Amino acid sequence: MSTSTATFDTLDDLDAGQRVLVRLDLNSPIEDGEPQDNRRFERHARTVRELADAGHRIALLAHQGRPGRDDFTSLAGHAEILASSLDRDVAFVGDIYGETAVDAIEALDAGEILLLENTRMCDDELPEEVPEAKADTAFVQSLAPHFDAYVNDAYSAAHRSHASVVGFPLVVPAYAGRVMETEYEANTAIAEKEFDGRVTMVVGGTKATDVIDVMNNLGGTVDDFLLGGIAGELFLRADGAPVGFDLDPEQGLYDSQWASNHELVESMLDERREQITLATDLAYDDGGRRAEEVVADIDEKTVSYLDVGTSTAEAYADVVRDSEAVFVKGALGVFEEEPFSVGTVTVLEAIVETDCFSVVGGGDTSRAIEMYGLGEADFDHVSIAGGAYIRALTGQPLAGVEALKRS
């Protein structure tokens, strides 16, 4: 198989001894007001450590939550977690581009690391605008003169046209960090690599539009789409099965999506029937225990389905074992609850057993790897991106990547 290369500069192109502004994505779960460690810190630590070891003076930008939400908070705690991942000091300043921040930036020595305050506490950051407008903000214009280079390592925020993502590359020489580089290469691989054998995509999650867009973009590359999750139920409904309905009108998981997308789902089944595999059985909660129903035997939906059935999971695993490349977007069930992890985990275990090229991502799906004792090293890439991963799979440009290419 062959690969294409990205058209942006990376850390390999960065001259030594620079003062570098680095955008990370450290957005984390917040519990009792404190950020919780997740794989993002460890991933980004690779880029930060490499820059520090090369003697650069490093200031970091990151965000946490959105204004008005419970998880919108300072990054002081994030600095401590990142320092632990790096095993070296990370200073923190509760300022973004004011005098306090600038003084701390100017005081940096070679190899020192400084984390600035939550970018979303700056009014210039959030509105989605064109890069030129973001580059002209006080945020960018005030910080940029203090840096020799800008590094974007925040692939998972690359679909956002925010000041810290798209503004700086227009005014400072810009480079991709290691997370940005590896995520970009892996997540665009399905469209850009040529595979000699079977290419399979496991598609789950909650949004039918994501599934439709992925199929439209990758239908010429993927041989088999294996469906599950809420989106899988909606496709079963289009196929005539009495599932994919809201049991409670207030639930809003199925019926509103059906009203908006049923024509597209039905046409997708007609056009790509040979490529699409639907669940033949589904699992539900029966008094705290996992129970299953064969789809062909369901007369009326009376329970909420929380996973594909065991027979479906095993059939999907067989397809995976016969594939040269497997891509996973979204979970096949509510894997956070152990009884309903069968579909997702069975497929992941089959990937581990198979000598195939594999990429796992989309929302929280990658968390199942850690939860159920699988190793990230057994997959070619485990994405930490959600929305950016979906956009890559559906062929949409990522604002942050495009900004790097312009630099």
Side-chain angles (χ1 to χ4, degrees), residues 16-184:
Q18 305 282 295
R19 184 182 283 117
V20 184
L21 182 64
V22 186
R23 178 59 157 97
L24 309 180
D25 184 358
L26 302 179
N27 200 45
S28 309
I30 302 295
E31 296 180 10
D32 298 324
E34 298 295 329
Q36 304 301 300
D37 196 359
N38 60 30
R39 58 169 48 88
R40 286 179 173 173
F41 289 91
E42 182 180 347
R43 293 280 185 90
H44 287 304
R46 177 189 175 194
T47 292
V48 178
R49 185 182 298 109
E50 183 175 340
L51 290 168
D53 288 345
H56 298 292
R57 290 161 287 171
I58 307 156
L60 307 174
L61 291 173
H63 72 274
Q64 175 62 53
R66 281 179 176 266
R69 297 184 181 176
D70 292 341
D71 63 347
F72 183 61
T73 186
S74 171
L75 297 185
H78 298 66
E80 296 179 8
I81 298 174
L82 183 59
S84 177
S85 296
L86 288 165
D87 195 25
R88 64 184 71 192
D89 291 339
V90 176
F92 172 75
V93 59
D95 188 18
I96 301 172
Y97 66 90
E99 183 177 349
T100 304
V102 170
D103 287 347
I105 291 165
E106 292 292 337
L108 285 168
D109 286 330
E112 289 188 337
I113 305 163
L114 170 70
L115 176 62
L116 303 178
E117 184 56 284
N118 187 345
T119 61
R120 291 182 176 177
M121 292 182 177
C122 171
D123 291 339
D124 291 337
E125 169 73 344
L126 276 179
E128 294 267 353
E129 297 174 304
V130 297
E132 289 78 9
K134 289 306 186 185
D136 196 40
T137 59
F139 175 20
V140 173
Q141 290 296 317
S142 297
L143 269 188
H146 301 282
F147 292 94
D148 304 304
Y150 166 82
V151 172
N152 191 348
D153 208 34
Y155 180 87
S156 51
H159 57 306
R160 304 297 188 188
S161 190
H162 294 162
S164 65
V165 176
V166 302
F168 289 101
L170 271 61
V171 296
V172 182
Y175 306 82
R178 297 309 184 195
V179 171
M180 174 67 77
E181 183 182 3
T182 56
E183 287 271 10
Y184 177 85

Side-chain angles (χ1 to χ4, degrees), residues 326-406:
V326 181
F327 296 80
V328 179
K329 187 230 77 78
L332 295 178
V334 186
F335 68 83
E336 295 88 347
E337 299 179 26
E338 193 276 333
F340 305 106
S341 65
V342 173
T344 301
V345 174
T346 298
V347 165
L348 292 175
E349 289 176 340
I351 294 173
V352 171
E353 297 166 4
T354 306
D355 184 20
C356 65
F357 179 84
S358 57
V359 178
V360 177
D364 290 333
T365 313
S366 58
R367 286 199 298 116
I369 292 172
E370 181 178 357
M371 285 182 65
Y372 293 98
L374 302 172
E376 286 196 15
D378 292 320
F379 303 86
D380 286 274
H381 184 67
V382 178
S383 178
I384 57 175
Y389 180 68
I390 297 300
R391 291 204 182 190
L393 295 180
T394 56
Q396 301 176 63
L398 300 174
V401 172
E402 297 306 307
L404 286 176
K405 291 178 179 180
R406 292 177 57 180

Side-chain angles (χ1 to χ4, degrees), residues 176-199:
R178 297 309 184 195
V179 171
M180 174 67 77
E181 183 182 3
T182 56
E183 287 271 10
Y184 177 85
E185 293 292 345
N187 296 341
T188 56
I190 190 169
E192 296 188 351
K193 285 188 177 184
E194 295 178 2
F195 299 99
D196 296 328
R198 191 176 194 172
V199 178

